[in-house]
Amino acid sequence: MDRLRVIGGIPLQGEITISGAKNAALPIMAASLLSEGEVILSRVPYLADITTMAHLLMHCGLDLSMPSATPGSFGYSLSLKPSGKAITDAPYDLVRKMRASILVLGPLVTKYGRATVSMPGGCAIGTRPIDLHLKGLERLGATVTLEGGDVQVTAPKGLHGADVTFPFITVTGTANLMMAATLAKGTTRIINAAKEPEVVDLAKFLNAMGAKISGVGTETMTIEGVSMLGGCTHAIIPDRIETGTYIAAAGITNGDLELIGADLDMLSVVKGELIDAGMLFEATSRGVRVCRADKNKPLRSINIKTEPYPGFPTDLQAQIMTLMTVAQGTSTVTETIFENRFMHVAELLRMGANVQIHGSSAVVTGVERLKGAPVMATDLRASASLVIAGLAAEGETIINRIYHLDRGYEMMETKLNNCGASIERIV
Ligand code: EPU
């Protein structure tokens, strides 16, 4: 299994191109199942999760052409078009690899009147049920049964519009329902809808295919069903979580990075917190420059609490906590989205961090320096946080089980090494 060897202590200098957002590309690819024509997507990141989704969509009957990525370049264009055959089951083998496979449920059931998707199991960051996706589909007239670990959803006469109120915000739940409602008869309102930029990008894509969705990015989204959707072209938004990860890398190494294509409007809460911590952001003609405001001083502690968008994203909690392990003072990091998203803490402790967990909060007291150590990556964002820790630590950090990183960060070690980091993949 691949490991990373990181030699820490080098301030990062240079530029990093931000890739297309994984969590926008995945639902948009799944939504291509709805189209009667060819869809062309650009800025699709080259990632293991994208390949898994591509295999699933080919299994479901889409023709995909996926030119192999040119070494050294980021992202690629992807063409997706219906092949004429429709297979409406998503087998366990593919769903097991990636929870986001559940995103084919809404498109398949609304287009073909049936879908079978293996129930996704638990994952490192929590149990992550899909009850809200299923209740929402039932509100649109579908029948849901659980059979041998598979969720079977049927609507032989098609779906109909309805009001669906989510008791709390679910990102892929909103995406699934929105996709299902595009071809339902009548009007659907999703109340307490997710406002994440990735959901907004999906709605933009669906509207370009001919859907009628309004109120996107607000509490209530309205979808008027249409009879069919056609082809379109769409560029995936830049990845705000990748952007935040490299901001943390610049801060912890006392480096100076230009993040090409970054859009900080999607990260305004994170930006505000990091300015309080002592980071400096400067717009450039190609993106944003980021470094410490005073390179002779350590960063200051901050308190963060994860929340649905526009709040502080849970997908940056581990990386910013890592940044705080070397900030002056005591920070509190509260996780409200997932019940088990402090897996990185035990590994950071091995590197000399001072973190104490009290229920859903972690109290981080800054230390002068982290120390390299062998550590274990447990999920995607925890893995990224260990790379960030390794970049700042004294000596060598070996990160085991880095397959998680390849699921969500396009060419991470190449991007960082281009800015002076010393990261080597060892087998
Ligand atoms: N939840 C339920 N029932 C449901 C759906 C969700 O109880 O039917 C709970 C979850 O267990 C969780 C909370 O609701 O406690 C919020 O989960 P949400 O549904 O919003 O998460 P998700 O849609 O499964 C997406 C991202 C995650 C990101 C979260 C929160 C994708 C493919 N995944 O997951 O990304 O952390 O939203 O922003 O978009 C990552 O990229 O590393 C990642 C985990």
Side-chain angles (χ1 to χ4, degrees), residues 36 41 85-86 90 111 129 153 171 239 241 243 331 343 390 400 406:
E36 302 297 334
L41 303 177
K85 65 174 181 184
K111 191 163 178 196
V153 184
V171 176
D239 195 316
I241 305 303
T243 304
S331 307
M343 309 277 283
N400 293 289
D406 298 329

Side-chain angles (χ1 to χ4, degrees), residues 22-23 26-27 99-100 103 125 127-133 168-173 196 240 314-315 337-339 341 379-381:
K22 164 181 85 79
N23 289 348
L26 290 171
R99 290 183 47 83
L103 285 162
I125 60 175
T127 46
R128 298 179 77 184
I130 54 161
D131 55 318
L132 300 181
H133 301 232
F168 50 88
I169 284 174
T170 162
V171 176
T172 50
E196 269 64 8
R240 64 192 167 107
T314 173
D315 289 346
I337 309 289
F338 292 111
E339 73 262 31
R341 216 175 194 185
D379 71 73
L380 171 57
R381 308 304 172 185

Side-chain angles (χ1 to χ4, degrees), residues 316-394:
L316 280 176
Q317 179 257 108
Q319 301 90 314
I320 302 303
M321 181 195 291
T322 301
L323 184 60
M324 288 300 107
T325 61
V326 293
Q328 210 164 44
T330 300
S331 307
T332 306
V333 177
T334 304
E335 173 60 54
T336 73
I337 309 289
F338 292 111
E339 73 262 31
N340 192 18
R341 216 175 194 185
F342 284 147
M343 309 277 283
H344 45 285
V345 171
E347 307 303 309
L348 291 174
L349 294 180
R350 292 173 52 76
M351 299 179 72
N354 181 351
V355 185
Q356 286 176 332
I357 300 179
H358 303 282
S360 61
S361 290
V363 177
V364 185
T365 305
V367 296
E368 206 164 302
R369 215 71 226 248
L370 295 175
K371 295 197 178 85
V375 289
M376 186 79 79
T378 47
D379 71 73
L380 171 57
R381 308 304 172 185
S383 314
S385 76
L386 296 177
V387 174
I388 293 168
L391 287 172
E394 206 176 287

Side-chain angles (χ1 to χ4, degrees), residues 167-359:
F168 50 88
I169 284 174
T170 162
V171 176
T172 50
T174 301
N176 238 338
L177 255 279
M178 176 166 57
M179 292 187 280
T182 55
L183 294 180
K185 280 188 206 85
T187 303
T188 298
R189 285 196 312 156
I190 305 180
I191 299 145
N192 203 19
K195 305 184 194 103
E196 269 64 8
E198 295 75 19
V199 172
V200 176
D201 203 32
L202 170 64
K204 221 170 125 187
F205 170 72
L206 289 165
N207 282 342
M209 287 203 296
K212 289 192 175 155
I213 306 172
S214 57
V216 183
T218 73
E219 221 107 290
T220 303
M221 188 185 285
T222 305
I223 304 121
E224 280 175 48
V226 296
S227 56
M228 66 160 277
L229 295 170
C232 71
T233 59
H234 181 83
I236 306 292
I237 53 167
D239 195 316
R240 64 192 167 107
I241 305 303
E242 188 196 27
T243 304
T245 301
Y246 292 132
I247 291 172
I252 204 165
T253 63
N254 203 0
D256 200 327
L257 292 179
E258 187 179 9
L259 303 177
I260 313 294
D263 179 355
L264 289 195
D265 288 348
M266 297 190 279
L267 278 174
S268 51
V269 168
V270 176
K271 179 180 164 188
E273 293 290 353
L274 292 179
I275 289 173
D276 288 350
M279 296 291 291
L280 177 82
F281 297 91
E282 222 173 59
T284 67
S285 58
R286 300 185 300 164
V288 63
R289 173 182 166 228
V290 56
C291 59
R292 290 189 193 174
D294 184 341
K295 293 193 179 170
N296 298 312
K297 282 193 183 153
L299 294 173
R300 297 178 291 272
S301 58
I302 49 172
N303 298 325
I304 58 173
K305 182 177 171 189
T306 63
E307 278 169 338
Y309 192 82
F312 194 99
T314 173
D315 289 346
L316 280 176
Q317 179 257 108
Q319 301 90 314
I320 302 303
M321 181 195 291
T322 301
L323 184 60
M324 288 300 107
T325 61
V326 293
Q328 210 164 44
T330 300
S331 307
T332 306
V333 177
T334 304
E335 173 60 54
T336 73
I337 309 289
F338 292 111
E339 73 262 31
N340 192 18
R341 216 175 194 185
F342 284 147
M343 309 277 283
H344 45 285
V345 171
E347 307 303 309
L348 291 174
L349 294 180
R350 292 173 52 76
M351 299 179 72
N354 181 351
V355 185
Q356 286 176 332
I357 300 179
H358 303 282

